[in-house]
Amino acid sequence: MIKISPSILACDFANLQSEIKKVEDAGVQYLHIDVMDGIFVPNITLGPCVVSAIRKNSNLVFDVHLMITDPIRYIEDFAKAGADIITIHVESTFDVNKAIEKIKACEKKAGISIKPNTKPEIVKQYIDKVDLVLCMTVEPGFGGQSFIPETLENIKAVAEMIKESSREIDLEVDGGISPKNAHLVKEAGANVIVAGSAVFGSSDIPQTVKDLMA
Ligand code: DX5
Ligand code: ZN
């Protein structure tokens, strides 16, 4: 089944609680939380205190996407704040294994992510340890960018690795996805679709969620 993970980066932060309620009522499964540090990516967003604040009022699976340098430093903080899945970028640390182990020691699901120009082959060495692989379909850093079609090859390559592993691993895609192009990423093998602007910018969120899942 296709799962939808709306990115709160595109929501109205002045009304965070009601914005999250809207997507929860629309039947999404995950909530995508983009954490940026101004170093790994040029933008700064939010930290563990925001995650623990929204945790109190939501039962969604918190899908925390860490776009930060040396993420191992903050894994425990995000786990304690209420993350369910913690995804780190393979480009952000010298010791991806150690970061995965740390996430697992916190009893959370571990994800790894690759940027559009990172060779998907790097994922292979971690495939027996991760619960989720995130293929970025834009350069990480900002919401509202255009989908990069070349990333479909990364998704296909990772889908093949997951199939070969026979493990249950989410294949998530993130960036520039809307009901118009969602079929492309689904055909390539993705089963978790992140959508920020397409969901929070919609005048009919339940319908958009349905269209993304269809
Ligand atoms: C980009 C973030 C994405 C972004 C998606 O760095 O990781 O999650 O918020 O937003 P849209 O769907 O608007 O591209
Ligand atoms: Zn993201």
Side-chain angles (χ1 to χ4, degrees), residues 85-89 96 100 103 108-113 130-134:
I85 306 168
I86 299 178
T87 299
I88 58 124
H89 269 267
V96 175
I100 294 170
I103 299 169
K108 303 298 174 187
K109 290 198 167 170
I112 53 168
S113 179
V130 294
D131 303 293
L132 178 147
V133 179
L134 166 55

Side-chain angles (χ1 to χ4, degrees), residues 96-143:
V96 175
N97 277 313
K98 204 168 158 195
I100 294 170
E101 279 155 26
K102 181 92 188 177
I103 299 169
K104 295 208 154 172
C106 294
E107 296 179 345
K108 303 298 174 187
K109 290 198 167 170
I112 53 168
S113 179
I114 55 167
K115 299 203 274 184
N117 293 323
T118 299
K119 297 250 176 303
E121 288 70 37
I122 193 168
V123 170
K124 198 155 195 162
Q125 59 191 297
Y126 308 112
I127 208 80
D128 291 329
K129 301 176 183 159
V130 294
D131 303 293
L132 178 147
V133 179
L134 166 55
C135 290
M136 289 304 298
T137 45
V138 298
E139 278 303 325
F142 299 92

Side-chain angles (χ1 to χ4, degrees), residues 12-185:
D12 174 6
F13 276 105
N15 295 294
L16 200 44
Q17 189 174 336
S18 61
E19 292 281 89
I20 295 169
K21 176 118 190 1
K22 276 187 207 164
V23 291
E24 204 154 359
D25 290 347
V28 305
Q29 298 83 356
Y30 289 4
L31 189 71
H32 190 79
I33 302 169
D34 285 310
V35 178
M36 307 186 188
D37 66 352
I39 299 172
F40 182 69
V41 289
N43 198 3
I44 299 179
T45 55
L46 49 89
C49 61
V50 176
V51 177
S52 63
I54 60 176
R55 182 74 282 178
K56 296 189 186 91
N57 299 305
S58 173
N59 291 318
L60 291 171
V61 172
F62 279 9
D63 164 29
V64 175
H65 178 194
L66 297 182
M67 287 162 275
I68 63 177
T69 300
D70 202 5
I72 199 153
R73 297 174 295 156
Y74 292 102
I75 286 169
E76 215 171 320
D77 291 347
F78 282 101
K80 282 189 185 144
D84 296 296
I85 306 168
I86 299 178
T87 299
I88 58 124
H89 269 267
V90 297
E91 307 90 352
S92 69
T93 171
F94 291 112
D95 204 338
V96 175
N97 277 313
K98 204 168 158 195
I100 294 170
E101 279 155 26
K102 181 92 188 177
I103 299 169
K104 295 208 154 172
C106 294
E107 296 179 345
K108 303 298 174 187
K109 290 198 167 170
I112 53 168
S113 179
I114 55 167
K115 299 203 274 184
N117 293 323
T118 299
K119 297 250 176 303
E121 288 70 37
I122 193 168
V123 170
K124 198 155 195 162
Q125 59 191 297
Y126 308 112
I127 208 80
D128 291 329
K129 301 176 183 159
V130 294
D131 303 293
L132 178 147
V133 179
L134 166 55
C135 290
M136 289 304 298
T137 45
V138 298
E139 278 303 325
F142 299 92
Q145 303 181 74
S146 300
F147 175 77
I148 301 171
E150 289 76 17
T151 59
L152 288 168
E153 295 311 314
N154 295 346
I155 303 166
K156 285 180 198 160
V158 172
E160 195 53 43
M161 286 174 216
I162 293 176
K163 201 172 154 203
E164 274 170 28
S165 79
S166 309
R167 295 185 66 238
E168 245 186 57
I169 301 172
D170 274 338
L171 176 40
E172 183 174 58
V173 287
D174 180 10
I177 300 167
S178 71
K180 281 195 182 129
N181 58 15
H183 67 281
L184 296 173
V185 292

